Amino acid sequence: MARLRVSWFCMMLFLLISSVLAQTQGDDYDYDDAFAPEPSPSDDGSPAPIGDDMEAPAPAPVPEAAPSSGGERRGLVPALFAFGDSLIDSGNNNRLFSFAKANYFPYGIDFGGPTGRFSNGYTILDQIGDLLGLPLLPPYSEIFNVDKMRFGVNYASAAAGILDITGFHFVERIPFSYQIKNFESTLVSLVKNMSAPIVEEAIPKCIFFVGMGSNDYLNNYIMPAYFTQDEYTPQKFAELLVHQYKEQLIKLYDLGARKFIIAGIGQMGCIPFLLAESSNGECSEMVNQMVRPFNAKLKTMIMKLNKSELPGAHFIFLDMENMFKDIFINYKSYGFSVKNRGCCGSGKNKGEVTCLPMQTPCPNRDDYLFWDAYHPTSAVNLLLGDMAFYGGSNFTFPMNIQQLATLSN
């Protein structure tokens, strides 16, 4: 089987340069055990910080407004709890001893400043939360009170994966299994401050967004520092990931979760970092083919969980591959003009080295599909949020987020 190894030199060059600025922030953090959550919340209830070709479907509507962070709002659900990686991380890595950070300019240039989001502005999670009528979710690493966490919490961590070992070359990160432990700590705080009956009644009505798996490929399976390709075929690796993923999702179910949004992996072979590895400037079909078994098996697993395995649970699958295909095919119809390079980065396709501290990004950011070597622009994230919320069965299965939110328990 042909094998792909992405450029280790380019990755490490970025890590070393970006760490000069990023590691100067959050020096008050205890780095002794960034993986492990605190065993119990603090006295005031605040959790301690831790760290194919296809026929193109009709374009989805372009979002008219960005998410709002203020004011009392009437949500479709009581709260939104999110688990994932850098695609939705909003600052959980800021205080970690980690190379996977975005707490420096020009990240957040269209947000009012860097927050830890790997975007010039908003993430897909921000848009979904806004459409649900909820404020922007605080990252778990913030020191906050129960009043702030009652609308939900974001546990996502850049470089995190389904497998604990994924992303180890970034040093500290919070894998999915530890994100779940942090949610357990949140539950303890909520019960302590709001009473067990109130929390037990509310949690099944909340929505749980989970978007994992990208790093298990990008920062594990196709990385030269790992030898996963020597041990697993793409099919076997997908089976390993989905088996572990299922156990983790069942753990959330056991903690009371009933409404799940599970995001698949997008067209990874088309990100600028991998376009820069291509000799012809085209998407890496090899990478896309590697990822495809995971998406297929994940969707099948979700169908089984919906049928009978977990009574009362409702899972929806976000087909990120189809969403990205639609955007790539119809990018001009959506108002974009640049799809093959990052807005902020260096080298071929602006993807060989991703966005560095104080680097000047492109001025026309809303014209670009990609913000840096790996992540979409805010404009694309808002669009993806709309697709997930209102989309048909080609994007969300077996229902969309709006329908999930209005389901009675």
Side-chain angles (χ1 to χ4, degrees):
M1 182 188 77
R3 291 143 58 92
L4 176 87
R5 302 289 192 189
V6 299
S7 173
W8 178 248
F9 173 79
C10 290
M11 174 71 78
M12 293 311 297
L13 177 63
F14 160 68
L15 297 180
L16 290 172
I17 295 175
S18 63
S19 67
V20 173
L21 179 61
Q23 298 299 345
T24 63
Q25 304 194 28
D27 290 337
D28 59 337
Y29 182 68
D30 180 4
Y31 296 121
D32 289 343
D33 191 2
F35 267 9
E38 288 291 316
S40 61
S42 58
D43 291 341
D44 65 356
S46 304
I50 69 152
D52 16 326
D53 295 335
M54 61 175 287
E55 182 179 349
V62 177
E64 296 180 357
S68 169
S69 59
E72 282 291 325
R73 310 179 62 187
R74 186 174 182 83
L76 296 177
V77 294
L80 172 63
F81 297 96
F83 309 79
D85 50 34
S86 60
L87 291 171
I88 63 168
D89 187 356
S90 58
N92 282 310
N93 280 24
N94 289 355
R95 298 185 179 189
L96 297 184
F97 188 79
S98 175
F99 292 120
K101 293 187 178 185
N103 59 341
Y104 56 84
F105 186 84
Y107 285 95
I109 188 173
D110 299 313
F111 195 89
T115 61
R117 287 171 171 80
F118 287 75
S119 170
N120 58 303
Y122 296 97
T123 68
I124 180 177
L125 180 68
D126 295 331
Q127 178 69 349
I128 290 172
D130 186 67
L131 293 171
L132 287 170
L134 301 172
L136 292 174
L137 300 184
Y140 180 76
S141 62
E142 278 188 1
I143 299 176
F144 54 84
N145 55 34
V146 172
D147 187 59
K148 285 189 176 181
M149 75 171 74
R150 66 192 178 97
F151 294 112
V153 180
N154 185 355
Y155 304 92
S157 171
I162 296 168
L163 305 178
D164 285 357
I165 194 174
T166 288
F168 80 85
H169 56 287
F170 287 97
V171 194
E172 291 181 338
R173 70 276 179 220
I174 311 169
F176 186 29
S177 59
Y178 286 87
Q179 293 180 34
I180 295 172
K181 291 181 180 181
N182 291 340
F183 172 66
E184 290 187 76
S185 295
T186 298
L187 284 181
V188 172
S189 296
L190 290 172
V191 167
K192 179 179 179 180
N193 288 270
M194 301 174 68
S195 84
I198 292 176
V199 174
E200 289 174 1
E201 181 182 357
I203 290 298
K205 300 176 184 177
C206 300
I207 284 184
F208 289 73
F209 180 101
V210 187
M212 304 297 304
S214 294
N215 284 313
D216 294 290
Y217 286 91
L218 188 59
N219 290 303
N220 184 332
Y221 195 67
I222 63 175
M223 286 294 291
Y226 300 77
F227 298 93
T228 320
Q229 285 188 58
D230 299 326
E231 189 173 355
Y232 299 98
T233 66
Q235 286 285 344
K236 291 297 183 182
F237 188 61
E239 289 175 7
L240 171 70
L241 291 179
V242 171
H243 175 77
Q244 179 72 19
Y245 209 176
K246 180 180 179 180
E247 292 184 351
Q248 293 164 333
L249 293 174
I250 290 175
K251 175 64 175 177
L252 283 176
Y253 174 86
D254 290 340
L255 291 170
R258 292 298 182 268
K259 293 184 175 182
F260 294 86
I261 303 168
I262 311 298
I265 300 176
Q267 287 197 294
M268 184 177 291
C270 298
I271 63 175
F273 181 70
L274 290 174
L275 288 176
E277 297 279 324
S278 171
S279 59
N280 59 8
E282 298 294 327
C283 297
S284 172
E285 190 55 29
M286 182 184 297
V287 172
N288 288 336
Q289 290 286 356
M290 285 180 177
V291 172
R292 204 156 283 144
F294 171 79
N295 283 331
K297 293 178 186 298
L298 180 60
K299 186 175 181 179
T300 299
M301 181 260 284
I302 288 172
M303 292 171 63
K304 290 180 179 179
L305 291 177
N306 274 332
K307 285 185 177 179
S308 59
E309 292 191 27
L310 299 178
H314 301 281
F315 288 80
I316 66 172
F317 175 69
L318 300 188
D319 196 330
M320 303 304 294
E321 181 181 6
N322 272 356
M323 290 186 195
F324 274 104
K325 275 186 179 181
D326 176 57
I327 293 173
F328 277 113
I329 293 171
N330 298 305
Y331 71 102
K332 291 183 178 179
S333 299
Y334 286 120
F336 302 105
S337 58
V338 184
K339 68 173 184 176
N340 62 351
R341 63 181 184 272
C343 171
C344 186
S346 304
K348 185 180 176 183
N349 298 93
K350 295 294 181 73
E352 290 183 306
V353 179
T354 197
C355 195
L356 296 174
M358 306 309 294
Q359 186 171 359
T360 302
C362 65
N364 53 332
R365 293 176 285 278
D366 287 347
D367 293 341
Y368 280 65
L369 295 189
F370 292 99
W371 159 245
D372 60 13
Y374 307 96
H375 306 96
T377 57
S378 181
V380 171
N381 283 327
L382 296 177
L383 177 57
L384 289 170
D386 273 14
M387 288 175 162
F389 197 82
Y390 299 113
S393 59
N394 54 330
F395 296 149
T396 63
F397 180 87
M399 67 187 76
N400 59 38
I401 296 175
Q402 184 181 43
Q403 293 166 331
L404 177 69
T406 56
L407 278 180
S408 59
N409 295 86

